[in-house]
PDB file of all heavy atoms in Angstrom:
ATOM      1  N   PRO A  21      52.597  61.056  64.046  1.00  0.00           N
ATOM      2  CA  PRO A  21      53.382  61.828  63.095  1.00  0.00           C
ATOM      3  C   PRO A  21      54.658  62.621  63.786  1.00  0.00           C
ATOM      4  O   PRO A  21      55.253  63.379  63.145  1.00  0.00           O
ATOM      5  CB  PRO A  21      52.415  62.727  62.591  1.00  0.00           C
ATOM      6  CG  PRO A  21      51.505  63.008  63.772  1.00  0.00           C
ATOM      7  CD  PRO A  21      51.264  61.639  64.497  1.00  0.00           C
ATOM      8  N   VAL A  22      54.847  62.251  65.033  1.00  0.00           N
ATOM      9  CA  VAL A  22      55.738  63.051  65.994  1.00  0.00           C
ATOM     10  C   VAL A  22      57.070  62.149  66.085  1.00  0.00           C
ATOM     11  O   VAL A  22      56.893  61.121  66.677  1.00  0.00           O
ATOM     12  CB  VAL A  22      55.221  63.588  67.104  1.00  0.00           C
ATOM     13  CG1 VAL A  22      56.206  64.369  68.039  1.00  0.00           C
ATOM     14  CG2 VAL A  22      53.935  64.423  66.916  1.00  0.00           C
ATOM     15  N   ARG A  58      55.995  64.438  60.706  1.00  0.00           N
ATOM     16  CA  ARG A  58      55.663  65.704  60.263  1.00  0.00           C
ATOM     17  C   ARG A  58      56.365  66.814  61.310  1.00  0.00           C
ATOM     18  O   ARG A  58      56.592  67.883  60.849  1.00  0.00           O
ATOM     19  CB  ARG A  58      54.113  65.891  60.399  1.00  0.00           C
ATOM     20  CG  ARG A  58      53.480  65.227  59.219  1.00  0.00           C
ATOM     21  CD  ARG A  58      51.983  65.516  59.064  1.00  0.00           C
ATOM     22  NE  ARG A  58      51.494  64.996  57.809  1.00  0.00           N
ATOM     23  CZ  ARG A  58      50.244  65.340  57.336  1.00  0.00           C
ATOM     24  NH1 ARG A  58      49.519  65.955  58.160  1.00  0.00           N
ATOM     25  NH2 ARG A  58      49.882  64.878  56.122  1.00  0.00           N
ATOM     26  N   VAL A  59      56.472  66.479  62.440  1.00  0.00           N
ATOM     27  CA  VAL A  59      56.979  67.374  63.458  1.00  0.00           C
ATOM     28  C   VAL A  59      58.050  66.571  64.411  1.00  0.00           C
ATOM     29  O   VAL A  59      57.750  65.385  64.721  1.00  0.00           O
ATOM     30  CB  VAL A  59      55.916  68.109  64.378  1.00  0.00           C
ATOM     31  CG1 VAL A  59      56.626  69.069  65.377  1.00  0.00           C
ATOM     32  CG2 VAL A  59      54.871  68.699  63.537  1.00  0.00           C
ATOM     33  N   ALA A  60      59.097  67.168  64.802  1.00  0.00           N
ATOM     34  CA  ALA A  60      60.011  66.542  65.622  1.00  0.00           C
ATOM     35  C   ALA A  60      60.078  67.200  66.919  1.00  0.00           C
ATOM     36  O   ALA A  60      59.842  68.528  66.883  1.00  0.00           O
ATOM     37  CB  ALA A  60      61.367  66.375  64.995  1.00  0.00           C
ATOM     38  N   ILE A  61      60.578  66.489  68.072  1.00  0.00           N
ATOM     39  CA  ILE A  61      60.749  67.159  69.235  1.00  0.00           C
ATOM     40  C   ILE A  61      62.116  66.772  69.715  1.00  0.00           C
ATOM     41  O   ILE A  61      62.599  65.670  69.619  1.00  0.00           O
ATOM     42  CB  ILE A  61      59.714  66.541  70.335  1.00  0.00           C
ATOM     43  CG1 ILE A  61      58.341  66.968  70.036  1.00  0.00           C
ATOM     44  CG2 ILE A  61      60.086  67.038  71.755  1.00  0.00           C
ATOM     45  CD1 ILE A  61      57.128  66.476  70.933  1.00  0.00           C
ATOM     46  N   ILE A 103      60.351  71.166  67.823  1.00  0.00           N
ATOM     47  CA  ILE A 103      60.033  71.773  69.087  1.00  0.00           C
ATOM     48  C   ILE A 103      60.937  71.236  70.234  1.00  0.00           C
ATOM     49  O   ILE A 103      61.206  70.124  70.244  1.00  0.00           O
ATOM     50  CB  ILE A 103      58.527  71.326  69.447  1.00  0.00           C
ATOM     51  CG1 ILE A 103      57.480  71.850  68.469  1.00  0.00           C
ATOM     52  CG2 ILE A 103      58.269  72.017  70.876  1.00  0.00           C
ATOM     53  CD1 ILE A 103      56.145  71.351  68.564  1.00  0.00           C
ATOM     54  N   ALA A 193      53.485  68.090  76.878  1.00  0.00           N
ATOM     55  CA  ALA A 193      52.979  69.383  76.273  1.00  0.00           C
ATOM     56  C   ALA A 193      53.478  69.597  74.877  1.00  0.00           C
ATOM     57  O   ALA A 193      52.805  70.015  74.049  1.00  0.00           O
ATOM     58  CB  ALA A 193      53.210  70.549  77.208  1.00  0.00           C
ATOM     59  N   ALA A 194      54.648  69.242  74.720  1.00  0.00           N
ATOM     60  CA  ALA A 194      55.314  69.469  73.421  1.00  0.00           C
ATOM     61  C   ALA A 194      54.762  68.388  72.342  1.00  0.00           C
ATOM     62  O   ALA A 194      54.511  68.761  71.197  1.00  0.00           O
ATOM     63  CB  ALA A 194      56.870  69.251  73.439  1.00  0.00           C
ATOM     64  N   ILE A 195      54.552  67.192  72.846  1.00  0.00           N
ATOM     65  CA  ILE A 195      53.838  66.307  72.000  1.00  0.00           C
ATOM     66  C   ILE A 195      52.469  66.722  71.601  1.00  0.00           C
ATOM     67  O   ILE A 195      52.142  66.508  70.369  1.00  0.00           O
ATOM     68  CB  ILE A 195      53.884  64.784  72.594  1.00  0.00           C
ATOM     69  CG1 ILE A 195      55.307  64.325  72.814  1.00  0.00           C
ATOM     70  CG2 ILE A 195      52.979  63.869  71.804  1.00  0.00           C
ATOM     71  CD1 ILE A 195      55.312  63.074  73.606  1.00  0.00           C
ATOM     72  N   GLU A 196      51.664  67.170  72.539  1.00  0.00           N
ATOM     73  CA  GLU A 196      50.251  67.728  72.171  1.00  0.00           C
ATOM     74  C   GLU A 196      50.446  68.840  71.191  1.00  0.00           C
ATOM     75  O   GLU A 196      49.590  68.926  70.224  1.00  0.00           O
ATOM     76  CB  GLU A 196      49.598  68.171  73.561  1.00  0.00           C
ATOM     77  CG  GLU A 196      48.212  68.656  73.352  1.00  0.00           C
ATOM     78  CD  GLU A 196      47.487  69.033  74.562  1.00  0.00           C
ATOM     79  OE1 GLU A 196      48.253  69.151  75.683  1.00  0.00           O
ATOM     80  OE2 GLU A 196      46.482  69.691  74.488  1.00  0.00           O
ATOM     81  N   LEU A 197      51.378  69.785  71.479  1.00  0.00           N
ATOM     82  CA  LEU A 197      51.455  70.881  70.542  1.00  0.00           C
ATOM     83  C   LEU A 197      51.907  70.423  69.085  1.00  0.00           C
ATOM     84  O   LEU A 197      51.523  70.807  68.083  1.00  0.00           O
ATOM     85  CB  LEU A 197      52.480  71.899  71.112  1.00  0.00           C
ATOM     86  CG  LEU A 197      52.936  73.029  70.207  1.00  0.00           C
ATOM     87  CD1 LEU A 197      51.693  73.897  69.908  1.00  0.00           C
ATOM     88  CD2 LEU A 197      54.005  73.871  70.879  1.00  0.00           C
ATOM     89  N   ALA A 198      52.801  69.458  69.101  1.00  0.00           N
ATOM     90  CA  ALA A 198      53.336  68.834  67.759  1.00  0.00           C
ATOM     91  C   ALA A 198      52.273  68.249  66.955  1.00  0.00           C
ATOM     92  O   ALA A 198      52.108  68.374  65.805  1.00  0.00           O
ATOM     93  CB  ALA A 198      54.392  67.859  68.019  1.00  0.00           C
ATOM     94  N   LYS A 199      51.285  67.519  67.757  1.00  0.00           N
ATOM     95  CA  LYS A 199      50.210  66.932  66.981  1.00  0.00           C
ATOM     96  C   LYS A 199      49.145  67.807  66.501  1.00  0.00           C
ATOM     97  O   LYS A 199      48.632  67.685  65.419  1.00  0.00           O
ATOM     98  CB  LYS A 199      49.561  65.899  67.954  1.00  0.00           C
ATOM     99  CG  LYS A 199      50.335  64.546  68.266  1.00  0.00           C
ATOM    100  CD  LYS A 199      49.537  63.702  69.134  1.00  0.00           C
ATOM    101  CE  LYS A 199      50.445  62.365  69.271  1.00  0.00           C
ATOM    102  NZ  LYS A 199      49.838  61.356  70.059  1.00  0.00           N
ATOM    103  N   GLN A 200      49.033  69.084  67.276  1.00  0.00           N
ATOM    104  CA  GLN A 200      48.143  69.996  66.737  1.00  0.00           C
ATOM    105  C   GLN A 200      48.919  70.622  65.334  1.00  0.00           C
ATOM    106  O   GLN A 200      48.174  70.789  64.365  1.00  0.00           O
ATOM    107  CB  GLN A 200      48.109  71.157  67.637  1.00  0.00           C
ATOM    108  CG  GLN A 200      47.214  70.780  68.963  1.00  0.00           C
ATOM    109  CD  GLN A 200      47.347  71.880  70.040  1.00  0.00           C
ATOM    110  OE1 GLN A 200      47.898  72.956  69.813  1.00  0.00           O
ATOM    111  NE2 GLN A 200      46.763  71.623  71.101  1.00  0.00           N
ATOM    112  N   ILE A 201      49.965  70.872  65.386  1.00  0.00           N
ATOM    113  CA  ILE A 201      50.773  71.364  64.227  1.00  0.00           C
ATOM    114  C   ILE A 201      50.730  70.284  62.995  1.00  0.00           C
ATOM    115  O   ILE A 201      50.517  70.688  61.787  1.00  0.00           O
ATOM    116  CB  ILE A 201      52.183  71.738  64.531  1.00  0.00           C
ATOM    117  CG1 ILE A 201      52.250  72.845  65.455  1.00  0.00           C
ATOM    118  CG2 ILE A 201      53.008  72.074  63.261  1.00  0.00           C
ATOM    119  CD1 ILE A 201      53.568  73.298  66.078  1.00  0.00           C
ATOM    120  N   ALA A 202      50.886  69.044  63.436  1.00  0.00           N
ATOM    121  CA  ALA A 202      50.811  67.977  62.381  1.00  0.00           C
ATOM    122  C   ALA A 202      49.587  67.749  61.709  1.00  0.00           C
ATOM    123  O   ALA A 202      49.473  67.209  60.617  1.00  0.00           O
ATOM    124  CB  ALA A 202      51.439  66.697  63.006  1.00  0.00           C
ATOM    125  N   ALA A 203      48.557  68.235  62.305  1.00  0.00           N
ATOM    126  CA  ALA A 203      47.150  68.010  61.799  1.00  0.00           C
ATOM    127  C   ALA A 203      46.862  69.078  60.668  1.00  0.00           C
ATOM    128  O   ALA A 203      45.820  68.897  59.942  1.00  0.00           O
ATOM    129  CB  ALA A 203      46.105  68.248  62.955  1.00  0.00           C
TER     130      ALA A 203
END
Side-chain angles (χ1 to χ4, degrees):
V22 181
R58 292 187 162 189
V59 183
I61 292 172
I103 300 171
I195 292 172
E196 181 181 357
L197 177 59
K199 288 183 175 180
Q200 292 172 5
I201 293 170

